[in-house]
């Protein structure tokens, strides 16, 4: 079945190629305003450190001082998130909540309505007594997951909201933070699906 | 299938072997219909030689005796008939229906066999027929329908039994007298208790720790499984109940979470099969059960109103929007028993059971669900040198494991394993005609593997208990019966402990008076002793190695009236609990440690009435009153309803091979009023105050119609929760019924059906 599917996909792609290809002279060079999409799972299990990601590099970046760096766009610490803007950094970032909609339905980033980072409270040490600290962070993106502590232990409800964010250099991306668990059911493994527009336009689909 | 066929043909051959020398006929005294499968026992007057026989479909049996003998004919639902018979004599017997099962043998009250009417403690018995004719498939449903005051509630992620002020940890549930491993807040896994192999359920309220040990403080529920003397028997039963909720309709196979969603909408289905053989001295019984239930969510319709009387303040809480989720389940169990009877004096038995249970919760994100597993096995040897003397040696092991089932990896990670190992020797010794001594030596070993003892690590802790108990049953005369018992034990955690009991029964027929005193206790659990668990870094729950057992003293007096058409009893009791183990906060609410602190008492009245109204109508009812007093200042902390009742009206119609039973069962739980301690902001200060909570009374009704053909095919259709009751607010103190559900069940006793057609 799987093979059949693969085969069909290849055939379809081939077909698409035939229909879209043209003479070398008559065509514009391949445009670089194509949206970059991907899905990444970030190990944000540590209580005492943040993990930063750059959309332009499409990878995790090492940052010595997040507050003075523009090398990162989004940072994760357990379920906490920060974007390079406001209290979190010197970047031109921002966050907009598009609500619980289909990821593909958000085709264009809105022009305005982006919130800047403020302060959030995080658990910095899972110990007795626990250590809570207030740090710069994203209060809008904080709503991607709802963690409540019932008698049966913590309950995690993922909102499945789609967020449009601005990167450190003011470009647009839409993200869907869709998972907090790895396959072994351990928390702190954040899976993010994203579409990033490198050309600076608001087109994200 | 092949196996089944060969078994059936085997059975055929055995049928031909029988067919002559009919000299005994057994009939129902009222309907004049023959009674098949009745047990016939013969005992020679001089040589004491014993013979056993079972009546045929036509109610016939042969007379095998070669000397003047005593004959006893017994059958479930009839009074046992005793007579004498000579060699080659032909006789016809009419058995008197035992309307209220007063002749039914029960074992829970004394750990010896006694007729229900002679049990020193009032015992409630629910028979297989009462279960089957109403289409029940789980013991939980049976108890809920028939036991006044019982409620299954929701506590965390598990079902919690509550019998009017008696908590789960003070209720002991046994299968054939054996303890079950695996507990959640004192609750066993109720899904393990299927009805298809249940002969009867015996319920005793009050303490019986002298015989059963820990946890037998408020009630003992003993589930007795079936034994059959049939050469070959096979039973197939199935039940389907309508969906509770369709959580995901129009589910697409390509859905990323297809399996997850599908598992929440399993059908409410129960399929089981029992297959057994008795070949000469050997017998075997196999029982297989598969069942699944549908997950559902209950939404609150009402919100909490907190009335703080002391500070004259009322707070209206907003409506709780998050539903209470009841998981879907899927389980399989298989149970095998082998027995071998060397001779009339000595027999052995071996049994084993395996059970698995998936519990499908509503949390998609965590990619896991709970998975439970139970492995139990046992050995039993019975030596009975003569009537009134017996020794039973037994060993029972039950291991209950809990796992996280990782859905993406298809792997199980164990996080809990509890095991009971229980070798014991129990002897009965009859002294003369008036005294029966029962004694036992028992060793109970409990081990628990958990990550709650050391953070992030699985560790095993264990305790054991060595027990000696003795009971003397003295029949002073035909009217007066005194039973005294004591249990002494040595527990590795808290040392020695003694538990006495005394009961006096006086018969002034048709009245029977019973007076009872019994002590009960519950040993501190391994978690309560050794736990050291951090709740997400916010607080720590710690055990206490100095804990003593919780104890109680139970006093009761009752009177029972028994006539052929009516059986009614009134029981008044007082139950004093001491040294209750409760968690206590310390260290600025960061440490929660178990302590022996609380005291409480219950005063209760139980009234039962069973009456035959006419030839076809029977009424059964029970009413329970409880007054629980926790504290002297009038503050009531427990959500106990003082009044609860059960009623049942049964209509029965029989004609030839056809039997119709219509039954309506109602259950009433009275209003609950209690106080809850709360912390609130009041005039700028944080203060503690009590608020009043009130829950309305409610009733649920169940209607079933059973049609039985040839005493072997039973079709039941019915409605559960007829008037569609659901709780306005779902809390620890309310019912978790999903509302009205329709069901249909079909039971087929294949060998009986086969015989019917064979005899035509």
């Amino acid at each position: 079945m799987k093979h059949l599917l693969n085969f069909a996909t290849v055939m379809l792609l081939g077909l698409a190629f035939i229909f879209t290809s043209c003479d070398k002279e008559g065509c514009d060079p391949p445009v670089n305003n194509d949206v970059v999409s991907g899905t990444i799972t970030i190990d944000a299990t540590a209580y005492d450190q943040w993990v930063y990601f750059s959309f332009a590099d499409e990878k995790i970046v090492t940052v010595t001082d997040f507050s003075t760096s523009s090398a990162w766009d989004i940072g994760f610490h357990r379920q906490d998130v920060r974007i390079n803007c406001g209290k979190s950094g010197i970047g031109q970032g921002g966050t907009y909540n598009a609500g619980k909609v289909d990821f593909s339905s958000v085709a264009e980033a809105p022009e305005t309505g982006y919130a800047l980072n403020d302060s959030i409270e995080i658990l910095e040490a899972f110990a007795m007594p626990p250590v809570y600290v207030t740090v710069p962070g994203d209060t809008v993106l904080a709503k991607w997951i709802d963690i409540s502590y019932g008698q049966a232990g913590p309950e995690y409800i993922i909102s499945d909201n789609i967020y449009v964010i601005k990167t450190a250099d003011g470009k647009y991306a839409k993200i869907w933070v869709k998972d907090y668990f790895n396959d072994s059911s351990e928390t702190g493994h954040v899976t993010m699906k994203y579409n990033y527009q490198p050309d600076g336009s608001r087109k994200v689909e | 299938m092949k196996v089944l066929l060969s078994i059936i043909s085997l059975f055929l051959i055995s049928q031909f072997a029988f067919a002559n020398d009919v000299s005994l006929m057994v009939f129902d005294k009222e309907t004049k219909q023959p009674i098949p499968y009745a047990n016939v026992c013969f005992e020679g007057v001089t040589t004491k030689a014993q013979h056993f026989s079972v009546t045929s479909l036509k109610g016939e049996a042969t007379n095998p005796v070669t000397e003047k003998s005593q004959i006893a004919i017994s059958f479930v639902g009839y009074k046992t008939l005793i007579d004498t018979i000579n060699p080659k004599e032909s006789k016809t017997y009419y058995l008197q229906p035992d309307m209220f099962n007063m002749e039914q043998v029960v074992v829970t009250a004394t750990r010896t066999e006694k007729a229900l009417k002679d049990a020193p403690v009032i015992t409630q018995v629910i028979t297989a027929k009462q279960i089957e004719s109403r289409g029940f498939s789980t013991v939980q449903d049976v108890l809920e329908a028939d036991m006044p005051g019982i409620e299954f509630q929701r506590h965390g992620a598990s079902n919690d039994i509550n019998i009017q002020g008696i908590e789960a940890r003070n209720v002991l549930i046994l299968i054939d007298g054996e303890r079950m491993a695996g507990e959640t807040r004192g609750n066993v896994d109720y899904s393990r208790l299927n009805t298809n192999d249940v002969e009867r359920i015996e319920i005793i309220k009050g303490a019986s720790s002298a015989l059963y040990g820990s946890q037998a403080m408020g009630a003992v529920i003993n589930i007795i499984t079936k034994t059959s003397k049939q050469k070959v028997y096979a039973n197939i039963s199935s039940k389907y109940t309508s969906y509770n909720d369709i959580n995901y309709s129009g589910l697409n196979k390509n859905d990323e979470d297809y399996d997850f969603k599908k598992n929440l909408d399993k059908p409410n289905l129960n399929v089981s099969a029992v297959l057994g053989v008795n070949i000469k001295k050997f017998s075997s019984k196999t029982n297989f059960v598969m069942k699944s239930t549908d997950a559902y969510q209950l939404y609150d319709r009402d919100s909490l109103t907190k009335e703080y009387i002391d500070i004259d303040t009322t707070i209206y809480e907003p409506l709780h929007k998050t539903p209470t989720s009841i998981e879907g389940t899927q389980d399989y169990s298989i149970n095998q028993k082998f027995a071998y009877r060397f001779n009339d004096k000595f027999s052995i038995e071996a049994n084993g059971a395996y059970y698995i249970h998936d519990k499908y919760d509503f949390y998609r994100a965590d990619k896991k669900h709970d998975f439970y597993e139970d492995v139990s096995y046992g050995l039993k040897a019975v030596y009975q040198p003569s009537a009134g003397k017996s020794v039973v040696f037994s060993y029972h092991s039950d291991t209950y494991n809990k796992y996280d089932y990782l859905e993406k990896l298809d792997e199980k990670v164990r996080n809990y394993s509890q095991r009971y190992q229980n070798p014991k020797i129990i002897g009965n010794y009859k002294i003369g005609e008036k005294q029966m001594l029962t004694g036992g030596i028992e060793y109970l070993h409990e081990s628990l593997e958990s990550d709650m003892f050391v953070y992030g690590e699985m560790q095993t802790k264990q305790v054991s208990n060595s027990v000696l108990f003795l009971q003397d049953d003295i029949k002073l005369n035909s009217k007066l019966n005194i039973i005294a018992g004591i249990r002494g034990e040595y527990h590795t955690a808290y040392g020695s402990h003694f538990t006495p009991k005394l009961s006096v029964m006086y018969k002034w027929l048709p009245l029977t008076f019973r007076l009872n005193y019994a002590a009960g206790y519950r040993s501190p659990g391994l978690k309560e002793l050794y736990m050291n668990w951090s709740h997400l870094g916010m607080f720590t729950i710690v055990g206490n190695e100095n804990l003593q057992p919780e104890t109680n003293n139970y006093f009761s007096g009752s009177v029972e009236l028994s006539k052929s058409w009516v059986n009614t009893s009134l029981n008044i009791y007082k139950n004093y609990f001491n040294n209750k183990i409760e968690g206590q906060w310390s260290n600025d609410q960061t440490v929660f440690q178990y302590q022996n602190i609380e005291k409480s008492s219950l005063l209760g009245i139980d009234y039962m009435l069973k009456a035959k109204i006419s030839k076809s109508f029977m009424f059964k009812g029970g009413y329970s009153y409880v007054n629980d007093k926790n504290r002297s200042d009038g503050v009531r902390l427990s959500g106990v309803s003082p009044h609860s009742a059960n009623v049942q009206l049964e209509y029965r119609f029989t004609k030839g091979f056809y039997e119709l039973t219509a039954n309506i069962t109602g259950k009433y739980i009275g209003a609950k009023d209690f106080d809850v301690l709360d912390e609130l902001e009041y005039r700028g200060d944080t203060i503690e105050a009590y608020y009043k909570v009130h829950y309305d009374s409610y009733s649920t009704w169940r209607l079933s119609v059973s049609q039985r053909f040839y005493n072997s095919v039973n079709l039941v259709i019915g409605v559960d929760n007829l008037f569609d009751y659901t709780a306005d607010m779902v809390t620890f103190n309310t019912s978790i019924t999903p509302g009205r559900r329709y069901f249909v069940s079909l039971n087929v006793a294949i060998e009986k059906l086969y015989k019917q057609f064979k005899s035509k």
Side-chain angles (χ1 to χ4, degrees), chain A residues 79-95:
Chain A
Q79 72 270 21
D80 313 309
V81 191
R82 66 168 59 128
I83 298 286
N84 202 338
C85 65
K87 286 188 180 171
S88 291
I90 54 170
Q92 304 165 40
T95 312

Side-chain angles (χ1 to χ4, degrees), chain B residues 137-322:
Chain B
S137 60
T138 66
V139 170
Q140 181 173 335
D141 289 346
V142 176
L143 293 175
E144 205 152 25
D146 284 3
M147 201 178 163
I150 197 171
E151 271 186 301
F152 283 90
Q153 297 156 345
R154 191 68 180 171
H155 199 121
S158 58
N159 291 355
D160 200 34
I161 196 174
N162 190 324
I163 311 171
Q164 262 187 328
I166 303 289
E167 298 167 57
R169 57 187 188 171
N170 303 135
V171 177
L172 181 64
I173 298 186
L174 303 166
I175 301 176
D176 288 323
E178 302 289 355
R179 200 171 272 275
M180 294 167 75
E183 60 89 41
T184 308
R185 263 179 304 278
N187 292 279
V188 295
D189 181 348
Y190 302 111
S191 290
R192 278 174 69 190
L193 309 172
N194 296 304
T195 53
N196 82 314
D197 194 32
V198 171
E199 172 74 42
R200 62 182 190 275
I201 303 171
E202 297 183 15
I203 303 162
I204 285 185
K205 276 177 111 180
S208 353
S209 286
L211 290 181
Y212 296 103
S214 178
Q215 214 168 335
M217 299 170 81
V220 174
I221 298 170
N222 195 0
I223 293 149
I224 312 292
T225 60
K226 283 179 180 160
T227 49
S228 173
K229 290 195 174 116
Q230 295 293 302
K231 280 209 162 54
V232 179
Y233 56 100
N235 264 280
I236 291 177
S237 23
S238 56
K239 182 182 177 187
Y240 175 80
T241 306
S242 54
Y243 273 93
N244 302 325
D245 235 346
I246 301 290
N247 300 295
Y248 295 99
S249 58
L251 189 55
N252 188 335
K253 270 219 141 129
N254 299 324
D255 194 302
E256 211 178 306
D257 298 308
Y258 179 78
D259 287 337
F260 169 82
K261 291 175 179 173
K262 182 98 183 143
N263 285 338
L264 289 175
D265 285 321
K266 293 254 179 203
N268 288 310
L269 187 66
N270 189 312
V271 180
S272 61
V274 178
L275 187 68
V277 287
N278 283 289
I279 305 167
K280 291 184 178 164
K281 294 174 170 179
F282 171 79
S283 69
S284 161
K285 184 176 81 176
T286 311
N287 180 21
F288 171 80
V289 182
M290 186 289 288
K291 66 175 187 287
S292 59
T293 61
D294 171 31
Y296 60 98
Q297 295 187 304
L298 296 167
Y299 288 85
D300 286 1
R301 289 186 299 262
D302 203 356
S303 62
L304 199 60
T305 303
K306 296 175 168 179
E307 268 184 81
Y308 301 87
I309 305 291
D310 294 343
I311 53 173
D312 200 16
T313 303
T314 303
I315 293 176
Y316 298 92
E317 294 259 303
L319 186 68
H320 199 235
K321 291 249 170 67
T322 316

Side-chain angles (χ1 to χ4, degrees), chain A residues 123 126-130 132 149-158 160 176 178-185, chain B residues 155-157 185 256 322 363-368 406-409 455 534-540 590-591 732:
Chain A
L123 179 62
F126 187 76
M128 200 61 224
Y132 287 97
Y149 298 93
Q151 293 131 5
E155 286 171 11
Y156 303 88
I157 314 259
I158 291 164
D160 288 326
W176 173 17
K178 55 191 284 195
D179 210 341
Y180 189 52
F181 292 80
N182 65 2
D183 287 349
S184 298
S185 195
Chain B
H155 199 121
R185 263 179 304 278
E256 211 178 306
T322 316
Y363 304 117
R364 177 185 57 85
D366 63 5
K367 302 186 181 99
K368 66 174 180 188
L406 303 173
E407 290 155 359
K408 299 281 170 185
L409 301 176
Y455 177 73
S534 167
H535 190 88
L536 309 154
M538 287 181 281
F539 61 87
T540 308
T590 58
V591 176
F732 299 170

Side-chain angles (χ1 to χ4, degrees), chain B residues 315-361:
Chain B
I315 293 176
Y316 298 92
E317 294 259 303
L319 186 68
H320 199 235
K321 291 249 170 67
T322 316
T324 298
S325 301
I326 311 295
E327 298 84 359
T329 63
Q330 166 95 61
D331 63 56
Y332 296 91
S333 69
I334 185 151
N335 206 308
Q336 175 65 49
K337 200 186 267 184
F338 293 115
Y340 190 82
R341 201 178 172 86
F342 291 92
N343 50 48
D344 290 342
K345 292 176 178 159
F346 187 58
S347 63
I348 54 168
E349 183 190 296
N351 63 70
Y354 183 67
Y355 159 88
I356 51 172
H357 181 94
D358 278 289
K359 189 162 151 187
Y360 301 113
D361 59 59

Side-chain angles (χ1 to χ4, degrees), chain A residues 41-104:
Chain A
T41 298
I42 290 164
D43 181 352
T45 50
Y47 283 89
D48 56 355
Q49 67 183 50
W50 285 74
V51 181
Y52 295 98
F53 179 80
S54 159
F55 286 103
D57 299 344
E58 274 199 88
K59 65 174 190 199
I60 288 161
V61 289
T62 315
V63 174
T64 41
D65 184 0
F66 72 94
S67 61
T68 58
S69 166
S70 47
W72 67 277
D73 299 315
I74 187 167
F76 295 94
H77 165 269
R78 306 290 306 171
Q79 72 270 21
D80 313 309
V81 191
R82 66 168 59 128
I83 298 286
N84 202 338
C85 65
K87 286 188 180 171
S88 291
I90 54 170
Q92 304 165 40
T95 312
Y96 172 85
N97 182 3
K100 189 179 176 176
V101 292
D102 270 354
F103 185 72
S104 59

